[in-house]
C-alpha cells in the first residue's frame, strides 16, 4: 500500500511542477490561469490521497476547500481581470524562455539538494515527492521575480503558495484544520491585495507592465 501511496504522491507532485513550468514557456494569460486551475485540482487530489492513506481524515475538508477556492473561485476572478485588461501577453520577460527553462531545471536540482538530508532521515511514504514540491516553490519564486506583467506575477505567487501547501501536506500529513483555514485566509487576502495593486497599475499606466513603476522614481 505504501508503494502505491508513494507513487501517487510523486505523480501528483510531478504534474504540479509541470503546470508550474508552463508559466515559463507559454506567453498567454489564459494558459497561465488554466495551468493554475489544473495545478490546484492536482493539489486537492494529493491532499485527498494523503487523507485516504494517512491518519488525518480532516484533509478531505482541506482538499474540498482547495478545489473550491483555488481551482474554481480564484481562476474565475483571474479570468474576470483578464477580460477587463484585455489580452496583454508576456512578450518580453526579464529572462527569455530558453534561459528561464535552464534556470528552472537548475532550481529543481537545487530543490533536491536542499531536501536531500530530510529525505535521507524521513520514513514517510511521501518523502520521495518532497524535493519536487521544493522545486515547485523555487520555480514559482523565479516566475514572480522574472516576469513583467502584474497578472503573471499574481499567478506565480498563487503557484508559490500551492508549492508551500504541497510541501506541508507531504511533510506533515496535514497540519490542524484551523491552521489550514488561516493559511487559506492569508492566501485570499494576499490575492485581494495584489488584485487591487493590479487595478491601480492599470488605471495609472493603462497597462499591467510593472516596469512602468520605474517612472515613479523620477
Amino acid at each position: 500500500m505504501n508503494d502505491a501511496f508513494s507513487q501517487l504522491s510523486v505523480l501528483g507532485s510531478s504534474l504540479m511542477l509541470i503546470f508550474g513550468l508552463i508559466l515559463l514557456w507559454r506567453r498567454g494569460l489564459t494558459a497561465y490561469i488554466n495551468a493554475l486551475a489544473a495545478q490546484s485540482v492536482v493539489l486537492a487530489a494529493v491532499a485527498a490521497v494523503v487523507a485516504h492513506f494517512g491518519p488525518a481524515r480532516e484533509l478531505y475538508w482541506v482538499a474540498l476547500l482547495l478545489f473550491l477556492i483555488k481551482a474554481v473561485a480564484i481562476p474565475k476572478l483571474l479570468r474576470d481581470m483578464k477580460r477587463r485588461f484585455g489580452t496583454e501577453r508576456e512578450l518580453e520577460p526579464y529572462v527569455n524562455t530558453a534561459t528561464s527553462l535552464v534556470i528552472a531545471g537548475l532550481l529543481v536540482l537545487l530543490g533536491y539538494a536542499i531536501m536531500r538530508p530530510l529525505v535521507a532521515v524521513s520514513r514517510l511514504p511521501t518523502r520521495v515527492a518532497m524535493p519536487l514540491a521544493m522545486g515547485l516553490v523555487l520555480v514559482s519564486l523565479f516566475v514572480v521575480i522574472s516576469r513583467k506583467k502584474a497578472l503573471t506575477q499574481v499567478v506565480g505567487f498563487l503557484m508559490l503558495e500551492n508549492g508551500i501547501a504541497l510541501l506541508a501536506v507531504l511533510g506533515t500529513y496535514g497540519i490542524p484544520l484551523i491552521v489550514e483555514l488561516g493559511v487559506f485566509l492569508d492566501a485570499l487576502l494576499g490575492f485581494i491585495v495584489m488584485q487591487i495593486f493590479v487595478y491601480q497599475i492599470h488605471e495609472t499606466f493603462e497597462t499591467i507592465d510593472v516596469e512602468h513603476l520605474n517612472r515613479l522614481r523620477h
Side-chain angles (χ1 to χ4, degrees):
M1 186 174 70
N2 279 348
D3 287 343
F5 187 11
S6 177
Q7 290 172 5
L8 286 173
S9 62
V10 170
L11 175 62
S13 301
S14 300
L15 288 174
M16 288 186 65
L17 180 58
I18 290 171
F19 287 128
L21 293 175
I22 286 177
L23 268 65
L24 297 177
W25 64 275
R26 295 294 298 271
R27 300 295 177 86
L29 187 57
T30 300
Y32 298 163
I33 297 172
N34 290 339
L36 173 67
Q39 186 187 68
S40 299
V41 169
V42 176
L43 175 60
V46 171
V49 167
V50 174
H52 177 73
F53 287 99
R57 300 302 180 201
E58 65 269 21
L59 274 180
Y60 282 120
W61 291 105
V62 173
L64 179 62
L65 288 172
L66 281 170
F67 178 78
L68 293 177
I69 295 175
K70 305 195 77 174
V72 178
I74 289 181
K76 182 180 182 305
L77 291 172
L78 286 171
R79 290 187 183 98
D80 290 342
M81 294 173 71
K82 174 182 174 294
R83 278 193 289 272
R84 171 164 179 162
F85 300 140
T87 55
E88 290 198 44
R89 295 164 62 86
E90 190 74 52
L91 296 178
E92 296 180 351
Y94 292 117
V95 183
N96 64 44
T97 300
T99 306
S100 294
L101 290 174
V102 171
I103 293 174
L106 294 174
L107 289 173
V108 173
L109 293 177
L110 178 61
Y112 270 90
I114 292 173
M115 298 303 294
R116 185 175 179 180
L118 181 60
V119 172
V121 298
S122 175
R123 291 294 176 265
L124 293 174
T126 54
R127 64 184 182 280
V128 181
M130 291 167 64
L132 294 168
M134 178 57 73
L136 175 59
V137 170
L138 296 175
V139 169
S140 301
L141 186 60
F142 174 67
V143 168
V144 172
I145 64 176
S146 66
R147 267 44 194 169
K148 292 181 179 178
K149 301 298 181 186
L151 275 179
T152 309
Q153 294 181 348
V154 170
V155 175
F157 165 78
L158 293 168
M159 286 194 170
L160 172 64
E161 203 278 330
N162 274 356
I164 294 171
L166 177 65
L167 198 57
V169 168
L170 295 176
T172 67
Y173 275 16
I175 50 183
L177 185 59
I178 187 67
V179 179
E180 295 278 7
L181 290 176
V183 172
F184 278 128
L185 289 176
D186 284 345
L188 274 178
L189 183 62
F191 175 73
I192 291 171
V193 170
M194 295 185 81
Q195 191 178 26
I196 295 171
F197 177 67
V198 172
Y199 275 105
Q200 288 296 324
I201 291 178
H202 190 265
E203 286 186 6
T204 305
F205 301 108
E206 297 183 347
T207 179
I208 54 174
D209 192 330
V210 296
E211 200 170 42
H212 287 76
L213 292 177
N214 291 329
R215 296 179 185 176
L216 298 177
R217 296 178 180 174
H218 306 292

